Amino acid sequence: MTLRTNPSGEFNLRRIPLFSELSEAELERIYPLLKRRRFPKGQTIIKEGEKGDVIYLIERGQVKVTRQSLDGREKILAILSDGSFFGELSVLDAMPRSATVEAMGNVELLTLHKDDFLSLLERIPAIAVKIIQVLSRRLRAADSQIEDLSFKTSREKIESMFEKLRDTHGVSDPRGVRLTISLTHQELADMAGCSRETVCRYIKELKDRGCITVDPDKHYVFLKFLGEC
């Protein structure tokens, strides 16, 4: 489905940070290039190792970015929400997809073909600057993950994971800070690089100490900073 400008304002490209600072004239050039796709919960959107010629922008929903280790274990590299994009590396360097991306719920995406994307980078430098900024942040996050996996204990890994989730997916709540995403114990373990049993044990400890709770929608709520617990 090709995306067209919506005069009623039902959809606005400015909701996507990559395009938020562009002029109306620049946005008008982008709308006809985008197509909307929908994926149900659990469906693989892109797969590690395959060829990629499309960049995806998240209009609504969340996806998880994963890689598999040699022994078959899954490592969650990131969780991306509304306004984020993925698939840009293969488009930029013509190499195979570096990770698998899966829908965590019903997801609505906008797709942009490689040729159109590269053309936009040449014609609208502001998009290239945004791409560089996001890639820089992701590189820093990757460095932090390497540090966590290499030098921290299981407890420190889980605490670091929760702190990062709170910073990137947390919103104010009367009780503290609530995560906007719902994660299973296994997904948390795959993010932290620990066993599910270790994560379950530490979460129970945090609940018993009054540091976190879970709301009816299975979203974690941080009642205190973990450093205070």
Side-chain angles (χ1 to χ4, degrees), residues 49-55 87-98 113-115 117-118 121 135:
E50 67 183 9
K51 182 179 179 182
D53 57 5
V54 171
I55 181 173
E88 75 286 345
L89 290 183
S90 291
V91 169
L92 291 170
D93 64 14
M95 298 290 287
R97 297 292 194 190
S98 61
H113 190 269
K114 173 180 180 178
D115 294 339
F117 177 62
L118 296 179
L121 293 183
L135 292 181

Side-chain angles (χ1 to χ4, degrees), residues 108-159:
E108 292 187 14
L109 303 174
L110 304 177
T111 65
L112 184 61
H113 190 269
K114 173 180 180 178
D115 294 339
D116 293 325
F117 177 62
L118 296 179
S119 177
L120 285 176
L121 293 183
E122 292 178 359
R123 290 184 291 150
I124 309 178
I127 296 179
V129 172
K130 283 283 189 179
I131 291 284
I132 292 171
Q133 291 173 341
V134 173
L135 292 181
S136 296
R137 287 196 293 270
R138 290 179 181 176
L139 180 58
R140 290 181 184 274
D143 288 342
S144 178
Q145 282 194 355
I146 292 171
E147 179 183 357
D148 288 351
L149 293 173
S150 301
F151 303 112
K152 293 185 176 181
T153 64
S154 293
R155 177 184 293 266
E156 290 170 335
K157 291 176 185 177
I158 299 169
E159 288 181 353

Side-chain angles (χ1 to χ4, degrees), residues 18-19 45 48 65-66 80 120 123 142 148 156 162-163 170 187-188 192 194 201-202 210:
L18 190 61
F19 303 134
I45 302 167
E48 180 181 351
V65 183
T66 68
L80 305 178
L120 285 176
R123 290 184 291 150
D148 288 351
E156 290 170 335
F162 270 134
E163 296 289 356
E187 287 171 332
L188 291 170
C194 302
R201 184 166 56 250
Y202 184 59

Side-chain angles (χ1 to χ4, degrees), residues 9-144:
E10 181 179 345
F11 179 77
N12 188 338
L13 276 181
R14 291 192 188 280
R15 289 167 48 191
I16 297 178
L18 190 61
F19 303 134
S20 61
E21 298 177 9
L22 301 186
S23 68
E24 288 300 324
E26 289 170 330
L27 292 176
E28 290 296 328
R29 296 162 67 179
I30 297 173
Y31 275 104
L33 305 178
L34 298 170
K35 294 183 179 180
R36 181 178 281 114
R37 294 192 63 187
R38 295 179 173 89
F39 293 86
K41 179 179 180 179
Q43 184 168 340
T44 297
I45 302 167
I46 63 176
K47 190 171 183 179
E48 180 181 351
E50 67 183 9
K51 182 179 179 182
D53 57 5
V54 171
I55 181 173
Y56 295 86
L57 304 105
I58 304 176
E59 182 182 358
R60 189 173 293 106
Q62 289 103 26
V63 302
K64 62 179 180 179
V65 183
T66 68
R67 293 195 68 174
Q68 266 199 333
S69 62
L70 294 177
D71 60 5
R73 289 183 300 171
E74 181 179 85
K75 175 69 172 76
I76 297 180
L77 304 178
I79 294 174
L80 305 178
S81 301
D82 301 12
S84 297
F85 61 88
F86 59 91
E88 75 286 345
L89 290 183
S90 291
V91 169
L92 291 170
D93 64 14
M95 298 290 287
R97 297 292 194 190
S98 61
T100 295
V101 179
E102 178 184 314
M104 297 183 69
N106 293 329
V107 179
E108 292 187 14
L109 303 174
L110 304 177
T111 65
L112 184 61
H113 190 269
K114 173 180 180 178
D115 294 339
D116 293 325
F117 177 62
L118 296 179
S119 177
L120 285 176
L121 293 183
E122 292 178 359
R123 290 184 291 150
I124 309 178
I127 296 179
V129 172
K130 283 283 189 179
I131 291 284
I132 292 171
Q133 291 173 341
V134 173
L135 292 181
S136 296
R137 287 196 293 270
R138 290 179 181 176
L139 180 58
R140 290 181 184 274
D143 288 342
S144 178

Side-chain angles (χ1 to χ4, degrees), residues 166 169-173 175-181 215 217 219-222:
R166 189 186 63 191
H169 298 283
V171 295
S172 295
D173 183 274
R175 296 164 293 177
V177 178
R178 177 177 57 85
L179 295 186
T180 58
I181 53 177
D215 70 11
D217 295 323
H219 294 161
Y220 285 94
V221 181
F222 296 89

